[in-house]
Amino acid sequence: MELLAYIVCTLCLPLFPLSMGVSYALGKLRGLRTIAFLLLPLAGFFFLGFIEKPPSAVLYISLFTSLLYAFRAVSAESLSRWGIYIFVSAVSLLWLHPSGEKSILGLFYALPFVLLSLSERLIAVRFGSSDLRLVRGIGLGAPKLGFITTLSILGVIGVPTSTTFVEFLNLLEARDFFRSLILSGVWFFWGWSGVKVLSSIVFGSPREDLSYEDLNLRGSLVLIVLSAFVFGAGYVFFEVLSYLLGWRGEL
Amino acid sequence: MPAIVLPFLPLLSGVLVYLFGRDSERKAYRISLFFSFLTAFVSLLLLIAYLREGSFKVGLTPFLSFYIDALSVVMAVAVSFISLVVHAYSIRYMQDDEGYARFFALLDLMTFSILITVIAGNLLLMFVGWNLIGVILYFLLSHNLRFEQAHRFGAWTFLTHRIGDLPLLFAILLLFESYGTFEIDKVREGLLSGNVPDNLELVGILVVLSAFAKSAQFPLHVWLPYTMAGPTPVSALMHAGIVNAGGFLINRFAPVFYHAEYGLHLAFWVGLITAILGSTLMLLQTDIKKSLGYSTVGQMGYMIMECGVGAFALAIYHLIAHGIFKATLFMGSGGVIHEARKDPNIPEDEVYSFFVKRELPPTRLPWIVFALITVSVPLIIVLLAHLVAGVDVFKYQGALILLFFGWVTGAQTIFSIYKLGARSVYKLLLFVILSFSVVVLGYVFIGHSFEKFLYPDKEFIERIYHNAGIHPTVFELQIILLTVVVALGWLLVYYANQNRDVVMPKFRSLYVALYTHLSRELYVADLYEAVAKKLTELSSKLNRSLRWL
């Protein structure tokens, strides 16, 4: 069972060099990418529960994979590619979780990527592509879509209280210098690539040769609710954590 | 009750402005201004509550808890009032802007983030506020979505703050490992009870490192003077409120420095370098806003240095005083620029003339008279002020260092009078000395009172002063050496002035070279640009070689 768990986990929580195949497949999936973003961490986390304790080499490879894809995200040429790089970078880090944590957390960490994927699809459908060199000025041309895209990017790069931020916080080991250093690098590259994407696609003057169609009310509401989940779930985590700590203190 | 309501008023305002104010500027600013007034009023209620009850903790939920003490109350009042002034100023300044409502919503969110940071009772909540400051600042600076330069420097700001957030996060986690709680009051109790973890020195260093990024300390200072492309009210809020966060953070973690000293020494040296660098670069700027930006860098250096010498309360007084005068300067700068555009007679840059053209203003007074006044008068005033206030200046090394700075600053002021070459020099000099005396007396008295208010426990603050100290002999030698260098420097400057030459000819090329390097701001920004460019190229190359994999 453990062998099977390893095989599934290396595909769902991709490690280099298998991550290249996952990255390629995610690029090809297009419309189904949202579902893949949801299922991969969920399945990966589920099977991770069957692995007692991954060898330290696997943990180092997961750190390397995360840093590599975070660094690649800095020069991503489209929102979809950027999302895939950050997804691989974030999900590969889940190997670092202490064993025993169960699959529900996979859903927790998948949420920001689901939101990003939906925003990306909305942009790609409207403009034919989410290429950062072609599409710009969404913030002014389609303010609601720009707002949702901004929230999704912020959620993915780990702005508090998004679930990605909670994941990052969970993985930090202040006493492990090497791990902290790599995670700091990952955190920095996520942020750097995130603001580059924002500056390219959301900011700037709208192009005159493009038609900017904004979200309708229903679409906006659905995405706002999802955004509230992305940031609200992290907040709830902090509340539960603070409650448990307070309860422990009273004991 | 006021503590619970206070941070949520601006948050509510931000949401309401965004929802209902997008179609009407009038509606947007009315909502925002109303809530700003309310926030300022509630902050005063909080001050009253503190004066009545003393420190207390109040929680809406286990995570959303607020710790009210002298520091949080002072900061909350200062932030609320500065925010109110900036809101009022923005009403007309931002008129006809295409993102009018967005701007006010962001301004409200910024006030919310700062308030959350300063009154948080939970270290994680404080970190959330601390991090959001950097994020919202990025959006405020990039407010003009069509202006590419603003986005570029906004991104610099975001990244500097993001780098600076990490040390704080590590410090919080280390404290959590030791005390098993994120609650500020419990961590404080743990630290003061003598239960000290072995890595507390590291925690101290991490805290000051985080403060460096927010307060634009060398070499993380570049974001501040370059963010002038943002709207002027944002500059005012940034220079009056946001950059002060570093001083607040060090004060919030004061119990750490009750036991740890390395962080204080680091703060002193980095603050000193930043103060000198910021003030020097300020003199070389030709753009009024950039000049004010570097002036803030210098002031923040001074504030961090105050923390480094153990004068924590003085740093808080400094940040509030600086916040008020810098906000005024920024909000007035628009008018000055507007007037300057009408007047084609732009005066030649004074520093350029001094260094390169070697042109000095005429003076009819004997140089030795001014040299003696310059060297002695500020020193006497500073010493007398401490004597009147009853502060034993020779007891603490920190106080001596600040006295030293007061002396040099006063001397600099008198020297600029000399350089002006005014007709009634002595009359002007008298006014300057009187003003200087008032400023120094005010600084000493208010600083002293502030210390009593913020840190009533004398033993606590004495211990921090002690930790900030170095070996007495080394310290005294340094002070004597610096005094001699400064006094000789002033004499040399006056002598050179008298002889109509800035420096001896053989040093002339050195001075021009120095001017050149300083005018390029010591290439720090260039270095960051080059590193960023190289990393982007490397990432591109990697992506090209791996294609879609």
Side-chain angles (χ1 to χ4, degrees), chain A residues 71-72 75 157 175 204 239, chain B residues 61 145 162 177 539 543 549:
Chain A
F71 183 57
R72 289 184 68 182
S75 62
I157 65 173
R175 283 175 194 272
E239 280 294 357
Chain B
T61 61
L145 295 178
R162 198 166 168 91
E177 276 181 19
S539 172
N543 281 344
L549 297 174

Side-chain angles (χ1 to χ4, degrees), chain B residues 55 88 340 372 477:
Chain B
S55 300
L372 288 175
L477 278 174

Side-chain angles (χ1 to χ4, degrees), chain A:
Chain A
M1 187 63 190
E2 196 167 345
L3 182 69
L4 177 71
Y6 263 111
I7 294 168
V8 177
C9 283
T10 42
L11 284 171
C12 295
L13 312 176
L15 293 177
F16 187 81
L18 285 178
S19 56
M20 294 199 291
V22 177
S23 165
Y24 178 79
L26 285 171
K28 289 285 170 195
L29 279 176
R30 291 172 195 270
L32 292 173
R33 201 179 297 134
T34 310
I35 296 170
F37 278 171
L38 186 69
L39 291 182
L40 287 180
L42 209 62
F45 237 121
F46 178 75
F47 281 94
L48 205 57
F50 294 102
I51 299 172
E52 279 242 330
K53 193 182 177 217
S56 53
V58 171
L59 303 184
Y60 286 123
I61 295 171
S62 86
L63 283 171
F64 170 75
T65 309
S66 182
L67 187 65
L68 175 74
Y69 280 86
F71 183 57
R72 289 184 68 182
V74 170
S75 62
E77 288 174 349
S78 67
L79 185 61
S80 61
R81 254 303 115 196
W82 180 77
I84 291 167
Y85 289 152
I86 299 285
F87 176 77
V88 174
S89 173
V91 169
S92 63
L93 283 178
L94 296 181
W95 281 94
L96 300 176
H97 268 278
S99 56
E101 291 192 11
K102 292 298 175 193
S103 54
I104 189 70
L105 276 175
L107 176 70
F108 190 69
Y109 298 138
L111 279 175
F113 293 97
V114 170
L115 180 65
L116 179 75
S117 181
L118 288 174
S119 313
E120 190 274 327
R121 283 320 300 160
L122 288 168
I123 291 169
V125 164
R126 279 165 172 73
F127 304 104
S129 148
S130 63
D131 194 301
L132 302 178
R133 292 159 301 184
L134 298 176
V135 185
R136 67 158 195 260
I138 294 178
L140 287 173
K144 287 179 208 148
L145 182 58
F147 180 65
I148 294 295
T149 309
T150 304
L151 282 181
S152 67
I153 292 171
L154 292 180
V156 163
I157 65 173
V159 165
T161 54
S162 70
T163 48
T164 316
F165 174 71
V166 174
E167 177 197 358
F168 185 76
L169 196 69
N170 266 336
L171 299 177
L172 280 181
E173 282 279 349
R175 283 175 194 272
D176 186 339
F177 178 74
F178 179 75
R179 181 167 162 170
S180 302
L181 191 71
I182 300 289
L183 285 174
S184 303
V186 170
W187 169 260
F188 176 74
F189 288 132
W190 285 357
W192 185 12
S193 61
V195 289
K196 277 182 93 166
V197 171
L198 267 176
S199 303
S200 309
I201 206 161
V202 178
F203 297 171
S205 302
R207 280 176 56 164
E208 284 176 9
D209 55 343
L210 289 180
S211 157
Y212 290 81
E213 186 198 334
D214 209 351
L215 288 174
N216 58 28
L217 188 65
R218 204 173 63 178
S220 306
L221 281 175
V222 169
L223 291 171
I224 288 280
V225 169
L226 189 57
S227 309
F229 269 112
V230 169
F231 288 93
Y235 167 74
V236 171
F237 172 85
F238 287 132
E239 280 294 357
V240 172
L241 179 72
S242 304
Y243 175 76
L244 290 176
L245 288 171
W247 176 72
R248 197 181 69 179
E250 277 171 25
L251 278 179

